Amino acid sequence: MKRFRLDALILPLIGFALVIAAWYVSSATWAKELPSPSKTWEASRDYVLKPFEKRGEMDQGILRFTWYSLQLVAKGYFLALVIGTPIGFLLGLSATFTRIFDPIIQILRPVSPLAWLPLGLVLFMGAGKSASELGALFTIAICSMWPTVLNTAVGVRAVPQDYLNVARVLKLSRTKTLFKVLIPATLPYMFTGFRLSLGIAWLVIVAAEMLTGRPGVGGFLWQEYNALVYEHIILCILTIGFVGFGLDRLMSVIEGRFKTG
Amino acid sequence: MSHQLEISALSKTFPTPHGPLVVVRDFNLHLEKGEFVCLIGHSGCGKSTVLSMVAGLSEPDDNAGGIILAGRELSGPGPDRGVVFQSPSLLPWLTAFDNVLLGVDQVFYTASAGERRQIAEYYLTVVGLGDALHKRPTELSQGMRQRVGIARAFALSPRMLLLDEPFGMLDSLTRMELQQVLVDLWTRNHLTALMVTHDVDEALFLADRIVMMTNGPEATVGDILKVPFPRPRDRKALLEDPEFYRLRAELIEFLEVRAYTLKGQQPPAPKPPVPPNSPAASSYTPPRQDRAVLPTQVETLA
Ligand SMILES: Nc1ncnc2c1ncn2[C@@H]1O[C@H](COP(=O)(O)OP(=O)(O)O)[C@@H](O)[C@H]1O
Ligand SMILES: [Mg+2]
């Protein structure tokens, strides 16, 4: 038991140590432009230790950037759920609807955010100042909604016939069947979709900010690449990773609650 | 007097990969008001198919007879028939109480919320779940879940009760308990009931008449047995009554021989006779059909 606890702590640390060592060796040998771990820390220190400071539009504490990014993600993600869940229900309920839209969904699903974003910018060109935000939201929503759509559809199709028979015997109205039977029975699947969607939404944010130049972790990363401050690229990568991990854990906890229910 | 339930010339055909399969053909049965009828037959012969048509969950073949309940031709399912499924099929996200209330709200929508809650609570208490009203199905034993299923069916105050092997998944002790719960409730409400079972003793304990179905395909009513025992029935007294064993032998003879021969099929080789009082004989399970049972049972209740 004790040994197990120790392993759980030590083994991941070994992993971290190995990767940092590889990073160090690389920066010292074949990748001369790659900042070493210590240089990275030196250059990032201000951003990490004063995480909420605002020195300029593109020079802010890392958590402040993260906060901007999260806000944008939240909006795009919310859009994805609001649009994706009903589509998932329609797909799950109607074979005709599935036959009409499934092929197009399968074709649109693998399209990369880098491809969607320019289209988003074109779509909202008339919106003036908020064009870049709307374009980014469009991209996040359209890229991240597929897991929600597909998992919801699978969940609806998996609702046990027994439950539907109960609804039929009781002559529940359509709305009552939806809210009292279908939605509760589908919730566990929906939340799996929601979790996967959030992961994608967070993945897309970087691409969106890079191309639109909006302040945020992704925008900062791209700016610092252009400004040759390579240390900050690594800072941003680590930040994106930690935040993404945290979001996934959070969603797992929520998902787990609905699994048992 | 007209009958409470009239099933006439009922047929049901399922499409299968090997062409249409006529599961039930020309099935006729009339139930008097307040009568308790059990339907027995080999597994896969079409008992659930008949029951689910009466429940309105599946449609009989076009222009092949019909089902009339209390003078009205049936169309589709409805809460005028309380259905108890083999698996209790409670909604797992609702408590026992809310599962029952869901139906009560639906049927007694003119009553006040308080009255509806009283109805739900009353039936749950009658089936012995007064202390478990607010438990979720996962916190209840299999037998308790089926009690909720029974309470839910009765709480609708339906015109009739349809039960598809409701105790099939329970151990024999729990089964006997629930049979008693069912009889008690049925005695109070005197609902017309149609119950599928393959337990001969259960049928003899509960039914006024036992309908024996022939084998499928094209299964139909093979014979009907009147159960003369007065009510209330006492299980122990029943087990001491020679008449009980005579009827039981007749049912078993039907299942072992006539279920096949009536369809022109060859009955399986007879097994050595089981002495009537031995434990092995107390719960007769008919042998599975030799014919392969199709894997897809999308529309059946069980
Ligand atoms: N939806 C269906 N499609 C095709 N065949 C079915 C379907 N439902 C039931 N059957 C077939 O009808 C027969 C009777 O089934 P069922 O009524 O469930 O039998 P029982 O309840 O008497 O055991 C079986 O052979 C079964 O395979
Ligand atoms: Mg059955």
Side-chain angles (χ1 to χ4, degrees):
Chain A
M1 191 66 213
K2 180 125 189 162
R3 186 180 157 73
F4 175 73
R5 278 248 194 111
L6 221 59
D7 281 358
L9 191 68
I10 286 177
L11 294 179
L13 283 180
I14 292 176
F16 280 114
L18 285 175
V19 170
I20 292 172
W23 171 11
Y24 186 82
V25 171
S26 300
S27 70
T29 55
W30 60 275
K32 293 283 188 215
E33 290 297 328
L34 178 71
S36 72
S38 53
K39 268 182 74 191
T40 303
W41 170 245
E42 275 310 311
S44 305
R45 202 189 170 109
D46 260 6
Y47 293 84
V48 177
L49 295 182
K50 292 179 212 155
F52 292 105
E53 201 171 53
K54 179 166 183 174
R55 287 173 289 256
E57 183 67 6
M58 273 302 183
D59 184 13
Q60 311 188 26
I62 196 67
L63 288 185
R64 206 180 169 93
F65 275 137
T66 304
W67 176 237
Y68 296 146
S69 297
L70 281 175
Q71 279 178 316
L72 194 64
V73 164
K75 285 188 217 161
Y77 176 60
F78 181 71
L79 259 179
L81 301 196
V82 168
I83 300 170
T85 313
I87 296 181
F89 266 93
L90 289 174
L91 285 175
L93 289 173
S94 156
T96 316
F97 195 86
T98 304
R99 271 197 233 123
I100 296 175
F101 290 105
D102 193 56
I104 186 77
I105 289 176
Q106 300 304 338
I107 289 169
L108 294 184
R109 198 159 61 98
V111 176
S112 137
L114 295 174
W116 283 117
L117 191 74
L119 183 68
L121 295 176
V122 170
L123 277 177
F124 297 101
M125 219 165 231
K129 258 186 67 179
S130 49
S132 83
E133 171 163 9
L134 291 177
L137 287 181
F138 166 80
T139 309
I140 295 171
I142 205 159
C143 289
S144 69
M145 76 180 189
W146 306 120
T148 295
V149 170
L150 297 178
N151 276 281
T152 306
V154 170
V156 171
R157 289 187 200 118
V159 175
Q161 188 61 39
D162 278 0
Y163 300 170
L164 298 177
N165 282 345
V166 169
R168 290 177 65 197
V169 167
L170 296 180
K171 273 219 168 119
L172 298 185
S173 63
R174 275 166 175 265
T175 11
K176 251 190 158 175
T177 305
L178 182 66
F179 286 102
K180 297 266 177 180
V181 180
L182 281 174
I183 291 180
T186 312
L187 269 184
Y189 289 84
M190 275 161 63
F191 271 88
T192 303
F194 292 173
R195 178 170 59 82
L196 298 174
S197 283
L198 184 58
I200 294 183
W202 183 241
L203 215 68
V204 171
I205 181 80
V206 181
E209 285 176 354
M210 270 161 72
L211 296 190
T212 57
R214 295 177 52 82
V217 209
F220 182 55
L221 186 154
W222 193 243
Q223 180 207 257
E224 297 299 88
Y225 166 68
N226 288 322
L228 312 181
V229 191
Y230 299 150
E231 291 83 355
H232 290 167
I233 297 180
I234 296 171
L235 170 66
C236 288
I237 289 178
L238 291 176
T239 309
I240 293 164
F242 275 111
V243 172
F245 176 70
L247 290 177
D248 193 65
R249 290 288 85 194
L250 189 73
M251 285 306 283
S252 290
V253 171
I254 298 175
E255 193 186 342
R257 296 206 143 195
F258 283 93
K259 278 269 146 73
T260 49
Chain B
M1 188 187 107
S2 80
H3 308 280
Q4 175 75 352
L5 179 75
E6 295 180 25
I7 305 176
S8 21
L10 197 68
S11 297
K12 177 76 185 177
T13 310
F14 287 113
T16 72
H18 317 290
L21 173 70
V22 183
V23 172
V24 178
R25 175 166 218 141
D26 199 20
F27 187 100
N28 294 286
L29 182 64
H30 293 178
L31 266 67
E32 300 301 331
K33 198 170 170 134
E35 196 181 21
F36 200 121
V37 170
C38 277
L39 193 58
I40 65 167
H42 286 250
S43 111
C45 74
K47 304 181 296 293
S48 298
T49 305
V50 169
L51 205 79
S52 76
M53 283 189 283
V54 179
L57 292 171
S58 79
E59 293 272 316
D61 288 348
D62 289 340
N63 52 47
I67 305 170
I68 294 173
L69 175 63
R72 282 225 215 119
E73 175 98 33
L74 279 187
S75 69
D80 56 341
R81 281 146 286 157
V83 184
V84 183
F85 304 91
Q86 176 165 27
S87 67
S89 42
L90 305 177
L91 303 179
W93 51 88
L94 296 181
T95 60
F97 181 76
D98 287 332
N99 264 290
V100 176
L101 193 64
L102 184 66
V104 174
D105 280 347
Q106 200 62 13
V107 175
F108 301 99
Y109 51 90
T110 50
S112 74
E115 285 166 332
R116 290 188 304 231
R117 298 180 69 83
Q118 267 177 10
I119 295 174
E121 191 173 333
Y122 168 78
Y123 281 98
L124 280 165
T125 311
V126 172
V127 298
L129 289 179
D131 299 329
L133 293 180
H134 300 294
K135 290 207 169 140
R136 298 270 179 108
T138 43
E139 301 169 85
L140 301 173
S141 68
Q142 190 75 278
M144 286 161 99
R145 281 181 222 166
Q146 199 52 288
R147 284 174 195 252
V148 182
I150 292 172
R152 177 172 62 183
F154 273 95
L156 303 175
S157 296
R159 282 183 200 281
M160 79 170 296
L161 208 60
L162 300 168
L163 309 105
D164 192 356
E165 301 192 27
F167 310 137
M169 306 205 304
L170 307 176
D171 62 87
S172 54
L173 215 64
T174 315
R175 190 180 315 175
M176 286 194 272
E177 268 172 38
L178 286 208
Q179 285 165 3
Q180 197 59 55
V181 167
L182 178 61
V183 172
D184 291 346
L185 262 172
W186 175 79
T187 311
R188 277 187 218 204
N189 297 268
H190 245 75
L191 289 174
T192 314
L194 181 59
M195 170 164 156
V196 169
T197 174
H198 60 224
D199 183 337
V200 172
D201 292 352
E202 179 168 279
L204 283 170
F205 179 61
L206 293 173
D208 296 311
R209 281 190 299 153
I210 301 176
V211 174
M212 295 166 256
M213 263 178 94
T214 64
N215 272 2
E218 307 195 359
T220 187
V221 175
D223 201 354
I224 298 182
L225 185 79
K226 263 198 171 343
V227 184
F229 307 121
R231 298 183 187 268
R233 291 176 186 164
D234 176 48
R235 201 183 295 271
K236 255 180 89 186
L238 225 53
L239 289 174
E240 284 159 11
D241 190 338
E243 179 71 359
F244 178 82
Y245 293 98
R246 203 187 58 72
L247 296 177
R248 181 168 194 263
E250 194 178 329
L251 291 171
I252 292 177
E253 186 272 336
F254 177 89
L255 289 171
E256 288 184 343
V257 182
R258 278 189 292 152
Y260 298 90
T261 52
L262 282 172
K263 298 292 306 177
Q265 296 168 359
Q266 187 65 32
K271 283 175 292 180
V274 188
N277 306 31
S278 81
S282 71
S283 172
Y284 175 79
T285 318
R288 281 195 74 83
Q289 261 175 303
D290 45 2
R291 193 170 51 78
V293 173
L294 288 162
T296 44
Q297 294 214 352
V298 189
E299 280 190 355
T300 52
L301 291 166

